[in-house]
Amino acid sequence: MRITPRGIVNSANADDLRHIRSTFKRENYLRIPAFIEPRLLAVILKYLQRAHFEQSEYGEVGRELALWNSPVVGALHLLMNDPALLEFVRRISGCGPVGSFTGRLYRMIARPGMEFGWHSDLIENDLRVGVAMTINLGVRPYRGGMLQMRRMDDKAITEIPNAEPGDAIIFRLAHDLRHRVTPVEGKVPKTAFTGWFMAVPKYADLKREWLAGSNDVNGLEASRLPTTKTPAPEEAVSIPPTIVALPRRGETIIASIRTGRFYGLNGTASRMWELMATGRSLHRSALVMAREYSVDVAVAERDLIALAANLAARQLITLGKAEKIARRR
């Protein structure tokens, strides 16, 4: 399983899932090496280099440095709410329906008291389904900062290494299970995106929150767009590495790691985005749209050009000669 700028890619077959489910039941965790696709990881790490982390305390549990309101957090929240991941977690853990994932981005450094003591992450009337996940977003492997687990009635401790950038751990939460994070050692900090799978909110509620205050990009009047040249039919589209997108149920939500803004595409515009993202020229994409939607090619091409201009004005795509974009791919 891997997280990419276009959502989750899961190549596990039925036999793999049975083995993973059995392992998770026995060990209470699953480690996923290279969970974040390398090019996406590189962009995330770039935007975290100058991020400002503020100290946060969680009562007796411990202390950390937290990063609030980061565009990286928004993009990760979008991708982590891919239905493919939510369903995978439900199937391997045996928990109830998973509505969403919610998390935070934190950093730990070698400082007295900066650690997490034994805790369960579960509280009364909690909406967490009993599964958590942590993703390593450090630039280099760190020492210490180890996730440890044990049962309340057992002194045996399971240590789960996760020091390689981009690696992830899915682990079980239960009232008879405790986990903690040990102090970081040395000069390399631990940076991670960690959180919980939730029964609610559902995707529809998250979508409303993401798109609140953002302009819909489906049908904006050309006069309201920033100045941009009209794309030519022979041009093709390239999606910048700072753009992530999640298709779901015939629509697509786009997020920018650079700006932190979200954008929504309806069913028809979502299909246009999908075709343009393949590197086809706008004209070739129009031929496919005309066939699929039973419209004149000229109409499909006009609508594709209008959407491409709209997206380019928001720096969600770049335009260029089809041959050059094909070579870059």
Side-chain angles (χ1 to χ4, degrees), residues 35 55 61 64 90 97 111 119 122-123 139 149 168 172 229-230 234 298 302 320:
F35 177 64
Q55 182 164 302
V61 174
E64 67 182 15
R90 185 194 68 79
R111 178 185 295 174
H119 61 289
L122 295 177
I123 58 177
V139 177
M149 298 180 67
R172 190 186 303 279
K229 74 179 186 69
T230 301
E234 62 273 13
R302 179 200 64 198

Side-chain angles (χ1 to χ4, degrees), residues 269-291:
S270 181
R271 179 56 177 152
M272 291 180 182
W273 168 273
E274 181 183 355
L275 290 169
M276 288 189 292
T278 64
R280 290 181 172 92
S281 68
L282 295 176
H283 175 70
R284 289 184 60 203
S285 295
L287 294 175
V288 178
M289 289 293 297
R291 183 173 64 251

Side-chain angles (χ1 to χ4, degrees), residues 6-8 78-87 246 248:
R6 306 296 169 258
I8 296 293
L78 176 66
L79 296 174
M80 290 291 290
N81 279 281
D82 190 322
L85 178 60
L86 305 184
E87 177 61 14
L246 180 62
R248 177 167 176 159

Side-chain angles (χ1 to χ4, degrees), residues 18 34 43 50 54 60 62 69 102 115 159 215-216 223 241 270:
R18 281 191 289 269
V43 174
R50 298 183 180 180
E54 300 177 353
E60 297 180 355
N69 301 319
T102 185
E115 61 185 296
E159 292 194 333
N215 288 325
D216 188 3
S223 61
S270 181

Side-chain angles (χ1 to χ4, degrees), residues 5 63 65 101 158 163 179 188 200 207 212 219-220 234 242 251 267 279 329:
R63 291 187 298 163
L65 300 174
F101 176 89
T158 300
H179 63 274
V188 179
V200 293
K207 185 178 73 170
L220 201 60
E234 62 273 13
T242 54
E251 62 183 12
R329 294 172 63 87

Side-chain angles (χ1 to χ4, degrees), residues 145-165:
M146 183 80 71
L147 175 63
Q148 297 180 334
M149 298 180 67
R150 68 173 176 84
R151 293 196 176 276
M152 288 185 63
D153 57 355
D154 193 344
K155 294 183 179 180
I157 294 176
T158 300
E159 292 194 333
I160 313 170
N162 193 39
E164 291 297 324

Side-chain angles (χ1 to χ4, degrees), residues 15 33 52 73 87 175 202 210 212 253 289 320-321:
D15 289 338
H52 177 64
V73 174
E87 177 61 14
H175 290 290
K202 302 292 187 182
W210 291 333
I253 305 298
M289 289 293 297
K321 293 184 177 180

